[in-house]
Amino acid sequence: MKSKSGYQGAELDRPFEKPDLRLTGTDGQPYDLKERTAGRATLLFFGYTNCPDVCPTTLGDVSVALQKQPQEVRDKIDVVFVTTDPARDTPEQLNKWLEAFGDRFTGMSGDLAQVKQAAKSLGVSVEDPNIHHDGTVTSSHGTQVLAFLPTDDKAHVLYTSGTPIDSFVKDLPLLAKGVSSGS
């Protein structure tokens, strides 16, 4: 069923407030999510760089969808990746990993308790990383991408794991313009 606004992603009945999250950005400097993304379309995703499947696939799909947009749309959209494994995902590691996806991607690393609280406020589950016998680490986290509109800095649209690239391609111009869900 297509929405009135035209979004392919799931439109939220009640938009989420952007969380008050201050960590370290990929440049090694303090990164205040609310301040740095105010008035910008923002896709927010929680995950970790050593994720074997969902994280690289999701960010890859968003990257491809962004590449299919005209420059004026790309310039209005930020993608913020918040690590759920800050012990290993240093700002330098995040920067190196995110560079593969494009210049609209930035990362946040820092206190896991803050990350978990911010994620919970958005309905995203984040668990403490699990260290296995062989030394590998897995981090259980929700796979949702939340889309914040530039007009009110609230998340109006949610994308689940496996969202087709074409859905992102169709929605990114709407997000960049700040088209309200349900309008």
Coordinates of all heavy atoms in Angstrom, one line a residue, residues 17-102:
E17 N 11.8 11.7 18.3 CA 12.7 12.9 18.5 C 14.1 12.4 18.2 O 14.5 11.3 18.5 CB 12.6 13.4 19.9 CG 11.3 13.9 20.3 CD 11.0 15.3 19.8 OE1 12.0 16.0 19.5 OE2 9.8 15.6 19.6
K18 N 15.0 13.3 17.7 CA 16.4 13.0 17.5 C 17.0 12.9 18.8 O 16.8 13.8 19.7 CB 17.0 14.1 16.6 CG 18.4 13.7 16.1 CD 19.0 14.7 15.2 CE 18.3 14.7 13.8 NZ 18.8 15.8 12.9
P19 N 17.7 11.8 19.1 CA 18.3 11.6 20.4 C 19.4 12.7 20.7 O 20.1 13.1 19.8 CB 18.9 10.2 20.4 CG 19.1 9.9 19.0 CD 18.0 10.7 18.2
D20 N 19.6 13.0 22.0 CA 20.6 13.9 22.4 C 21.9 13.0 22.6 O 22.1 12.4 23.7 CB 20.2 14.5 23.7 CG 21.2 15.6 24.2 OD1 22.0 16.1 23.3 OD2 21.1 16.0 25.4
L21 N 22.7 12.9 21.6 CA 23.8 12.0 21.6 C 25.1 12.8 21.2 O 25.2 13.4 20.2 CB 23.6 10.9 20.6 CG 24.6 9.7 20.6 CD1 24.7 9.0 21.9 CD2 24.2 8.7 19.5
R22 N 26.0 12.8 22.2 CA 27.3 13.5 22.0 C 28.4 12.4 22.1 O 28.7 12.0 23.3 CB 27.5 14.6 23.0 CG 26.5 15.7 22.8 CD 26.7 16.8 23.8 NE 25.6 17.8 23.7 CZ 24.6 17.8 24.5 NH1 24.4 16.9 25.4 NH2 23.6 18.8 24.4
L23 N 29.1 12.1 21.0 CA 30.2 11.1 21.1 C 31.4 11.7 20.3 O 31.4 12.9 20.1 CB 29.7 9.8 20.5 CG 28.6 9.1 21.2 CD1 28.1 7.9 20.4 CD2 29.0 8.6 22.6
T24 N 32.2 10.9 19.8 CA 33.4 11.3 19.0 C 33.1 11.0 17.6 O 32.7 9.8 17.2 CB 34.7 10.6 19.5 OG1 34.9 10.9 20.9 CG2 35.9 11.1 18.7
G25 N 33.3 11.9 16.7 CA 33.1 11.7 15.3 C 34.3 11.1 14.6 O 35.3 10.9 15.2
T26 N 34.1 10.8 13.3 CA 35.2 10.1 12.6 C 36.4 11.0 12.4 O 37.5 10.5 12.1 CB 34.7 9.6 11.2 OG1 34.0 10.7 10.6 CG2 33.8 8.5 11.3
D27 N 36.3 12.3 12.6 CA 37.4 13.2 12.6 C 38.2 13.3 13.9 O 39.1 14.0 14.1 CB 37.0 14.6 12.1 CG 36.0 15.2 13.0 OD1 35.6 14.6 14.1 OD2 35.6 16.3 12.7
G28 N 37.7 12.5 14.9 CA 38.3 12.5 16.2 C 37.9 13.6 17.1 O 38.3 13.8 18.3
Q29 N 37.0 14.5 16.6 CA 36.4 15.6 17.3 C 35.1 15.3 17.9 O 34.4 14.4 17.5 CB 36.3 16.8 16.4 CG 37.6 17.3 15.8 CD 38.6 17.7 16.9 OE1 38.3 18.5 17.8 NE2 39.8 17.1 16.8
P30 N 34.6 16.0 19.0 CA 33.3 15.8 19.5 C 32.2 16.0 18.4 O 32.4 16.9 17.6 CB 33.2 16.9 20.6 CG 34.6 17.3 21.0 CD 35.4 17.1 19.7
Y31 N 31.3 15.1 18.4 CA 30.2 15.1 17.5 C 28.9 15.1 18.2 O 28.5 14.1 18.9 CB 30.3 13.9 16.5 CG 29.4 14.0 15.3 CD1 29.8 14.5 14.1 CD2 28.0 13.6 15.4 CE1 29.0 14.6 13.0 CE2 27.2 13.7 14.3 CZ 27.7 14.2 13.1 OH 26.9 14.2 12.0
D32 N 28.1 16.2 18.1 CA 26.8 16.4 18.7 C 25.8 16.1 17.6 O 25.6 16.9 16.7 CB 26.7 17.8 19.3 CG 25.3 18.0 20.0 OD1 24.3 17.5 19.5 OD2 25.3 18.8 21.0
L33 N 25.1 15.0 17.7 CA 24.2 14.6 16.7 C 23.1 15.6 16.4 O 22.9 16.0 15.2 CB 23.5 13.2 17.0 CG 22.5 12.7 16.0 CD1 23.2 12.3 14.7 CD2 21.7 11.5 16.6
K34 N 22.5 16.2 17.4 CA 21.4 17.2 17.2 C 22.0 18.4 16.5 O 21.4 18.9 15.6 CB 20.8 17.5 18.5 CG 19.7 16.6 19.0 CD 19.0 17.1 20.2 CE 17.8 16.3 20.6 NZ 17.1 16.8 21.7
E35 N 23.1 18.9 17.0 CA 23.7 20.1 16.5 C 24.2 20.0 15.1 O 23.9 20.8 14.2 CB 24.8 20.5 17.4 CG 25.5 21.8 17.0 CD 26.7 22.1 18.0 OE1 26.4 22.4 19.1 OE2 27.8 22.1 17.5
R36 N 24.9 18.9 14.8 CA 25.6 18.7 13.5 C 24.6 18.4 12.4 O 24.9 18.6 11.2 CB 26.7 17.6 13.6 CG 27.8 18.0 14.5 CD 28.8 18.9 13.9 NE 29.7 18.4 12.9 CZ 30.8 17.8 13.1 NH1 31.3 17.6 14.3 NH2 31.5 17.4 12.1
T37 N 23.5 17.8 12.7 CA 22.5 17.4 11.7 C 21.2 18.2 11.7 O 20.3 17.9 11.0 CB 22.2 15.9 11.8 OG1 21.5 15.7 13.1 CG2 23.4 15.0 11.7
A38 N 21.2 19.3 12.5 CA 20.0 20.1 12.6 C 19.7 20.7 11.2 O 20.6 21.2 10.5 CB 20.3 21.3 13.6
G39 N 18.4 20.6 10.8 CA 18.0 21.1 9.6 C 18.5 20.4 8.3 O 18.4 20.9 7.2
R40 N 18.9 19.1 8.5 CA 19.4 18.3 7.4 C 18.7 17.0 7.4 O 18.4 16.4 8.5 CB 20.9 18.1 7.5 CG 21.7 19.4 7.4 CD 23.2 19.1 7.3 NE 23.6 18.2 6.2 CZ 23.6 18.5 4.9 NH1 23.2 19.6 4.5 NH2 24.0 17.6 4.1
A41 N 18.4 16.5 6.2 CA 17.8 15.1 6.2 C 18.9 14.2 6.6 O 20.1 14.3 6.2 CB 17.4 14.8 4.7
T42 N 18.6 13.3 7.6 CA 19.6 12.4 8.2 C 19.1 11.0 8.3 O 18.0 10.7 8.8 CB 20.0 12.9 9.6 OG1 20.4 14.3 9.5 CG2 21.1 12.1 10.2
L43 N 19.9 10.1 7.8 CA 19.7 8.6 8.0 C 20.6 8.2 9.1 O 21.8 8.4 9.1 CB 20.0 7.9 6.7 CG 19.2 8.2 5.4 CD1 19.7 7.4 4.2 CD2 17.7 8.0 5.7
L44 N 20.0 7.6 10.1 CA 20.7 7.1 11.3 C 20.6 5.6 11.4 O 19.6 5.0 11.3 CB 20.1 7.8 12.6 CG 20.8 7.5 13.9 CD1 22.2 8.1 13.9 CD2 19.9 8.1 15.0
F45 N 21.8 5.0 11.6 CA 21.9 3.5 11.7 C 22.9 3.2 12.8 O 24.0 3.8 12.9 CB 22.4 3.0 10.3 CG 22.4 1.5 10.2 CD1 21.3 0.8 10.2 CD2 23.6 0.8 10.1 CE1 21.3 -0.6 10.1 CE2 23.7 -0.5 10.0 CZ 22.5 -1.3 10.0
F46 N 22.5 2.2 13.6 CA 23.4 1.6 14.7 C 23.9 0.3 14.2 O 23.2 -0.6 13.7 CB 22.6 1.4 15.9 CG 22.1 2.7 16.5 CD1 20.9 3.3 16.1 CD2 22.8 3.3 17.6 CE1 20.4 4.5 16.7 CE2 22.3 4.5 18.1 CZ 21.1 5.1 17.7
G47 N 25.3 0.1 14.4 CA 25.9 -1.2 14.0 C 27.4 -1.1 14.3 O 27.8 -0.3 15.1
Y48 N 28.1 -2.0 13.7 CA 29.6 -2.1 13.9 C 30.3 -2.5 12.7 O 29.8 -3.2 11.8 CB 29.9 -3.0 15.1 CG 29.5 -4.5 15.0 CD1 30.6 -5.4 15.0 CD2 28.2 -4.9 14.9 CE1 30.3 -6.8 15.0 CE2 27.9 -6.3 14.8 CZ 29.0 -7.2 14.8 OH 28.7 -8.5 14.7
T49 N 31.6 -2.1 12.6 CA 32.3 -2.3 11.4 C 32.7 -3.8 11.1 O 32.9 -4.1 10.0 CB 33.6 -1.5 11.4 OG1 34.5 -2.0 12.5 CG2 33.4 0.0 11.6
N50 N 32.7 -4.6 12.1 CA 33.1 -6.0 11.9 C 31.8 -6.9 11.7 O 31.9 -8.1 11.7 CB 33.9 -6.6 13.1 CG 35.3 -6.1 13.1 OD1 36.1 -6.4 12.2 ND2 35.6 -5.2 14.0
C51 N 30.7 -6.3 11.5 CA 29.4 -7.0 11.3 C 29.6 -7.7 10.0 O 30.0 -7.2 8.9 CB 28.3 -5.9 11.1 SG 26.7 -6.6 10.8
P52 N 29.2 -9.0 10.0 CA 29.4 -9.8 8.8 C 28.4 -9.7 7.7 O 28.6 -10.2 6.6 CB 29.4 -11.3 9.4 CG 28.5 -11.2 10.5 CD 28.7 -9.8 11.1
D53 N 27.3 -9.0 8.0 CA 26.2 -9.0 7.0 C 25.4 -7.7 6.9 O 25.5 -7.0 6.0 CB 25.3 -10.2 7.2 CG 24.9 -10.5 8.6 OD1 24.8 -9.5 9.4 OD2 24.7 -11.6 9.0
V54 N 24.6 -7.5 7.9 CA 23.6 -6.4 7.8 C 24.2 -5.0 7.6 O 23.7 -4.2 6.8 CB 22.6 -6.5 9.0 CG1 21.7 -5.3 9.0 CG2 21.8 -7.7 9.0
C55 N 25.2 -4.7 8.4 CA 25.8 -3.4 8.4 C 26.4 -3.0 7.1 O 26.0 -2.0 6.5 CB 26.8 -3.2 9.5 SG 26.0 -3.3 11.2
P56 N 27.3 -3.8 6.5 CA 27.9 -3.4 5.2 C 26.8 -3.4 4.1 O 26.9 -2.6 3.2 CB 29.0 -4.4 5.0 CG 28.7 -5.5 5.9 CD 27.9 -5.0 7.1
T57 N 25.9 -4.4 4.2 CA 24.9 -4.5 3.1 C 24.0 -3.3 3.1 O 23.7 -2.7 2.1 CB 24.1 -5.8 3.3 OG1 25.0 -6.9 3.3 CG2 23.0 -5.9 2.2
T58 N 23.5 -2.9 4.3 CA 22.6 -1.8 4.5 C 23.3 -0.5 4.0 O 22.7 0.3 3.2 CB 22.1 -1.6 5.9 OG1 21.4 -2.8 6.2 CG2 21.1 -0.5 6.1
L59 N 24.5 -0.2 4.5 CA 25.2 1.0 4.2 C 25.5 1.0 2.7 O 25.5 2.0 2.0 CB 26.4 1.2 5.0 CG 26.1 1.5 6.5 CD1 27.4 1.8 7.3 CD2 25.1 2.7 6.7
G60 N 25.8 -0.2 2.1 CA 26.1 -0.3 0.7 C 24.9 0.1 -0.1 O 25.0 0.8 -1.1
D61 N 23.7 -0.4 0.3 CA 22.5 -0.1 -0.4 C 22.2 1.4 -0.4 O 21.8 2.0 -1.4 CB 21.3 -0.9 0.2 CG 21.4 -2.3 -0.1 OD1 22.2 -2.8 -0.9 OD2 20.6 -3.1 0.5
V62 N 22.4 2.0 0.8 CA 22.2 3.5 0.9 C 23.2 4.2 0.1 O 22.8 5.2 -0.6 CB 22.3 3.9 2.4 CG1 22.3 5.5 2.5 CG2 21.1 3.4 3.2
S63 N 24.4 3.8 0.0 CA 25.4 4.4 -0.8 C 25.1 4.4 -2.3 O 25.2 5.4 -3.0 CB 26.8 3.7 -0.6 OG 27.8 4.2 -1.4
V64 N 24.6 3.2 -2.7 CA 24.2 3.1 -4.2 C 23.1 4.0 -4.4 O 23.0 4.7 -5.5 CB 23.9 1.6 -4.5 CG1 23.2 1.5 -5.9 CG2 25.2 0.7 -4.4
A65 N 22.1 4.0 -3.5 CA 20.9 4.9 -3.7 C 21.3 6.4 -3.8 O 20.8 7.1 -4.6 CB 19.9 4.7 -2.6
L66 N 22.3 6.8 -2.9 CA 22.8 8.1 -3.0 C 23.5 8.5 -4.3 O 23.3 9.5 -4.8 CB 23.7 8.4 -1.8 CG 23.0 8.7 -0.5 CD1 24.1 8.7 0.7 CD2 22.4 10.1 -0.5
Q67 N 24.3 7.5 -4.8 CA 25.0 7.7 -6.0 C 24.0 7.9 -7.2 O 24.4 8.5 -8.2 CB 25.9 6.6 -6.3 CG 27.1 6.5 -5.3 CD 27.9 5.2 -5.4 OE1 27.8 4.5 -6.5 NE2 28.6 4.9 -4.4
K68 N 22.8 7.4 -7.1 CA 21.8 7.5 -8.2 C 21.1 8.8 -8.1 O 20.2 9.1 -8.9 CB 20.9 6.3 -8.1 CG 21.5 5.0 -8.5 CD 20.5 3.9 -8.5 CE 21.2 2.6 -9.0 NZ 20.3 1.6 -9.4
Q69 N 21.4 9.7 -7.1 CA 20.7 10.9 -6.9 C 21.5 12.1 -7.6 O 22.7 12.0 -7.7 CB 20.5 11.3 -5.4 CG 19.8 10.2 -4.6 CD 18.3 10.0 -5.2 OE1 17.7 11.0 -5.5 NE2 17.9 8.8 -5.2
P70 N 20.7 13.1 -8.0 CA 21.4 14.3 -8.5 C 22.2 14.9 -7.3 O 21.9 14.7 -6.1 CB 20.3 15.2 -9.0 CG 19.1 14.7 -8.5 CD 19.3 13.2 -8.1
Q71 N 23.2 15.7 -7.6 CA 24.1 16.3 -6.6 C 23.3 17.1 -5.6 O 23.6 17.1 -4.4 CB 25.1 17.2 -7.2 CG 26.2 17.7 -6.3 CD 27.1 16.6 -5.7 OE1 27.5 15.7 -6.4 NE2 27.3 16.6 -4.4
E72 N 22.3 17.8 -6.0 CA 21.5 18.7 -5.1 C 20.8 17.9 -4.0 O 20.5 18.3 -2.9 CB 20.5 19.6 -5.8 CG 19.4 19.0 -6.6 CD 19.8 18.8 -8.1 OE1 20.9 18.9 -8.5 OE2 18.9 18.4 -8.8
V73 N 20.4 16.6 -4.3 CA 19.8 15.7 -3.3 C 20.9 15.2 -2.4 O 20.7 15.2 -1.2 CB 19.0 14.6 -4.0 CG1 18.6 13.5 -3.0 CG2 17.8 15.1 -4.7
R74 N 22.0 14.7 -3.0 CA 23.1 14.2 -2.2 C 23.6 15.2 -1.2 O 23.9 14.9 0.0 CB 24.2 13.7 -3.0 CG 23.9 12.4 -3.8 CD 25.2 11.8 -4.4 NE 26.0 12.7 -5.2 CZ 25.9 12.8 -6.5 NH1 25.1 12.1 -7.2 NH2 26.8 13.6 -7.1
D75 N 23.7 16.5 -1.6 CA 24.2 17.5 -0.7 C 23.3 17.8 0.5 O 23.7 18.4 1.5 CB 24.3 18.8 -1.5 CG 25.5 18.8 -2.5 OD1 26.4 17.9 -2.3 OD2 25.6 19.7 -3.3
K76 N 22.1 17.4 0.5 CA 21.1 17.6 1.6 C 20.9 16.5 2.5 O 20.1 16.6 3.4 CB 19.7 18.0 1.0 CG 19.8 19.3 0.2 CD 18.4 19.6 -0.4 CE 18.5 20.9 -1.2 NZ 17.2 21.2 -1.8
I77 N 21.7 15.4 2.3 CA 21.5 14.2 3.1 C 22.7 13.7 3.8 O 23.8 13.6 3.2 CB 20.9 13.0 2.2 CG1 19.6 13.4 1.6 CG2 20.8 11.7 3.1 CD1 19.0 12.4 0.6
D78 N 22.7 13.5 5.1 CA 23.8 12.9 5.9 C 23.4 11.5 6.3 O 22.2 11.3 6.6 CB 24.0 13.8 7.1 CG 24.6 15.1 6.8 OD1 25.3 15.3 5.8 OD2 24.3 16.1 7.6
V79 N 24.4 10.7 6.4 CA 24.2 9.3 6.9 C 25.1 9.2 8.1 O 26.3 9.4 8.0 CB 24.6 8.2 5.9 CG1 24.3 6.8 6.4 CG2 23.8 8.4 4.6
V80 N 24.5 8.9 9.3 CA 25.3 8.8 10.5 C 25.2 7.4 11.0 O 24.1 6.8 11.2 CB 24.8 9.8 11.6 CG1 25.5 9.6 12.9 CG2 24.8 11.2 11.1
F81 N 26.4 6.8 11.2 CA 26.5 5.4 11.7 C 27.1 5.5 13.1 O 28.1 6.0 13.3 CB 27.5 4.7 10.7 CG 27.8 3.3 11.1 CD1 26.9 2.2 10.8 CD2 28.9 2.9 11.8 CE1 27.2 0.9 11.1 CE2 29.2 1.6 12.1 CZ 28.3 0.6 11.7
V82 N 26.3 4.9 14.0 CA 26.7 4.9 15.4 C 27.1 3.5 15.8 O 26.4 2.6 15.7 CB 25.5 5.4 16.4 CG1 26.0 5.4 17.8 CG2 25.0 6.7 16.0
T83 N 28.4 3.4 16.2 CA 28.9 2.0 16.5 C 28.3 1.5 17.8 O 28.2 2.2 18.8 CB 30.5 2.0 16.6 OG1 30.8 0.6 16.7 CG2 31.0 2.8 17.7
T84 N 28.1 0.2 17.7 CA 27.6 -0.6 18.9 C 28.8 -1.4 19.5 O 28.6 -2.2 20.4 CB 26.4 -1.5 18.5 OG1 26.9 -2.4 17.5 CG2 25.2 -0.7 18.0
D85 N 30.0 -1.2 18.9 CA 31.2 -1.8 19.4 C 32.3 -0.8 19.5 O 33.3 -0.8 18.8 CB 31.6 -2.9 18.4 CG 32.8 -3.7 18.8 OD1 33.2 -3.6 20.0 OD2 33.3 -4.5 18.0
P86 N 32.1 0.2 20.4 CA 33.1 1.3 20.5 C 34.5 0.8 21.0 O 35.5 1.6 20.7 CB 32.5 2.2 21.5 CG 31.5 1.4 22.3 CD 31.0 0.3 21.4
A87 N 34.6 -0.3 21.6 CA 36.0 -0.8 22.0 C 36.9 -1.0 20.8 O 38.1 -0.8 20.9 CB 35.9 -2.0 22.9
R88 N 36.3 -1.5 19.7 CA 37.1 -1.8 18.5 C 36.9 -0.7 17.5 O 37.8 -0.5 16.7 CB 36.7 -3.1 18.0 CG 37.2 -4.3 18.9 CD 37.0 -5.6 18.3 NE 35.6 -5.9 17.8 CZ 35.3 -6.8 16.9 NH1 36.2 -7.6 16.4 NH2 34.1 -7.0 16.6
D89 N 35.7 -0.1 17.4 CA 35.4 0.9 16.4 C 35.8 2.3 16.9 O 35.0 3.1 17.3 CB 33.9 0.9 16.0 CG 33.5 -0.3 15.2 OD1 34.4 -1.0 14.7 OD2 32.3 -0.6 15.1
T90 N 37.1 2.5 16.8 CA 37.6 3.8 17.1 C 37.2 4.8 16.0 O 36.8 4.4 14.9 CB 39.2 3.8 17.2 OG1 39.7 3.5 15.9 CG2 39.7 2.8 18.3
P91 N 37.3 6.1 16.3 CA 37.0 7.1 15.2 C 37.8 6.8 13.9 O 37.3 6.9 12.8 CB 37.3 8.4 15.8 CG 37.1 8.2 17.3 CD 37.5 6.8 17.6
E92 N 39.1 6.4 14.1 CA 40.0 6.2 12.9 C 39.5 4.9 12.2 O 39.4 5.0 10.9 CB 41.4 5.9 13.4 CG 42.1 7.1 14.1 CD 41.7 7.3 15.6 OE1 41.2 6.3 16.2 OE2 41.8 8.4 16.1
Q93 N 39.1 3.9 12.9 CA 38.6 2.7 12.3 C 37.3 3.0 11.5 O 37.1 2.5 10.4 CB 38.4 1.6 13.3 CG 37.7 0.3 12.8 CD 38.5 -0.4 11.8 OE1 39.7 -0.3 11.7 NE2 37.8 -1.2 11.0
L94 N 36.4 3.7 12.2 CA 35.1 4.1 11.6 C 35.3 4.9 10.3 O 34.7 4.6 9.3 CB 34.2 4.9 12.5 CG 33.5 4.2 13.6 CD1 32.8 5.2 14.5 CD2 32.4 3.3 13.0
N95 N 36.2 5.9 10.4 CA 36.5 6.7 9.2 C 37.0 5.9 8.1 O 36.5 6.0 6.9 CB 37.5 7.8 9.6 CG 37.7 8.8 8.5 OD1 36.7 9.3 8.0 ND2 38.9 9.1 8.1
K96 N 37.9 5.0 8.3 CA 38.5 4.1 7.3 C 37.4 3.3 6.6 O 37.3 3.1 5.4 CB 39.6 3.3 7.9 CG 40.3 2.4 6.9 CD 41.4 1.6 7.5 CE 42.0 0.6 6.5 NZ 43.1 -0.2 7.2
W97 N 36.5 2.7 7.5 CA 35.5 1.8 7.0 C 34.4 2.6 6.2 O 34.0 2.1 5.1 CB 34.9 1.1 8.2 CG 34.0 -0.1 7.9 CD1 34.3 -1.3 7.3 CD2 32.5 -0.1 8.1 NE1 33.1 -2.1 7.2 CE2 32.1 -1.3 7.6 CE3 31.6 0.8 8.6 CZ2 30.7 -1.7 7.7 CZ3 30.3 0.5 8.7 CH2 29.9 -0.8 8.2
L98 N 34.0 3.7 6.8 CA 32.9 4.5 6.1 C 33.3 5.2 4.8 O 32.5 5.5 4.0 CB 32.4 5.5 7.1 CG 31.6 4.9 8.3 CD1 31.3 6.0 9.3 CD2 30.3 4.3 7.8
E99 N 34.6 5.4 4.7 CA 35.1 6.0 3.4 C 34.7 5.2 2.2 O 34.5 5.8 1.1 CB 36.6 6.2 3.4 CG 37.1 7.4 4.2 CD 38.6 7.5 4.2 OE1 39.3 6.5 3.8 OE2 39.1 8.6 4.6
A100 N 34.6 3.9 2.4 CA 34.2 3.1 1.3 C 32.8 3.3 0.8 O 32.4 3.0 -0.4 CB 34.3 1.6 1.7
F101 N 32.0 3.9 1.6 CA 30.5 4.1 1.3 C 30.3 5.5 0.7 O 29.3 5.7 0.1 CB 29.7 3.9 2.5 CG 29.8 2.5 3.0 CD1 30.4 2.2 4.2 CD2 29.2 1.4 2.4 CE1 30.5 0.9 4.7 CE2 29.3 0.1 2.8 CZ 30.0 -0.1 4.0
G102 N 31.2 6.5 1.0 CA 31.0 7.8 0.4 C 31.2 8.9 1.4 O 31.3 8.7 2.6

